[in-house]
Amino acid sequence: MKNLKLFVLALGLFTLNLSAANLNPIKATEELRSEMIELIGSNFMDEMLENEYEADVLFTVNANKELIVLSVDSDNNQLENYLKRRLNYKKVNHKPTKYGEIYLLPVKMIKQI
C-alpha cells in the first residue's frame, strides 16, 4: 500500500512537470530576425550538396543581450551545429519585454545558383 501511494505521488508530480514544461514560443521580431540573419551568414550553403535546408531555432535572450540557443530542430546535423556555433552567446540589440521569453525562428537556407 505504501508503494502504491508513493507511485501515485510520483506519477502526479511527473504529470505536473510535463504540463509546466509546455512551451509557447513567440516569433522573433523583424529587428531581431534581421540581426540573426546577419549572424548566420551564407557560408554554410557553399559546401552543401542539397539546394535547400530548413530548421527551427528555439532561443532566448539573456540580461546581457546575448542569444542563448535552446535547441535547433533540423534533419541535417551539420546545419544544427552551424546554427548553434553562429548564434549561441552572440550579442544583439534586442531587449526582451521580459527575460526568459522563448522565441522561435524558422530558418530556411537556399543555395544561390
Side-chain angles (χ1 to χ4, degrees):
M1 189 67 165
K2 184 177 181 181
N3 287 339
L4 180 61
K5 288 180 183 178
L6 186 60
F7 176 74
V8 171
L9 178 65
L11 184 63
L13 289 175
F14 178 72
T15 306
L16 183 65
N17 282 340
L18 283 180
S19 64
N22 188 9
L23 301 176
N24 292 322
I26 56 177
K27 287 194 174 186
T29 62
E30 273 303 309
E31 178 185 326
L32 181 57
R33 183 182 167 283
S34 63
E35 283 186 72
M36 291 179 73
I37 289 171
E38 284 182 37
L39 290 170
I40 291 171
S42 61
N43 297 342
F44 177 76
M45 293 305 290
D46 294 341
E47 50 195 63
M48 299 312 294
L49 299 175
E50 298 197 24
N51 292 330
E52 182 176 308
Y53 293 96
E54 293 183 12
D56 288 325
V57 180
L58 202 62
F59 67 97
T60 187
V61 179
N62 68 11
N64 296 329
K65 295 185 177 181
E66 296 171 330
L67 295 171
I68 307 296
V69 176
L70 302 173
S71 71
V72 178
D73 184 26
S74 174
D75 294 335
N76 186 309
N77 287 337
Q78 288 178 312
L79 177 60
E80 286 182 25
N81 292 332
Y82 176 80
L83 290 172
K84 288 175 188 176
R85 190 174 60 250
R86 298 292 295 204
L87 296 175
N88 213 15
Y89 294 103
K90 300 298 192 257
K91 291 256 187 194
V92 291
N93 291 324
H94 178 75
K95 183 175 182 180
T97 55
K98 68 177 185 179
Y99 292 107
E101 280 185 326
I102 297 175
Y103 299 92
L104 175 67
L105 179 72
V107 176
K108 187 173 190 176
M109 299 182 81
I110 301 172
K111 187 182 279 191
Q112 299 295 324
I113 301 174

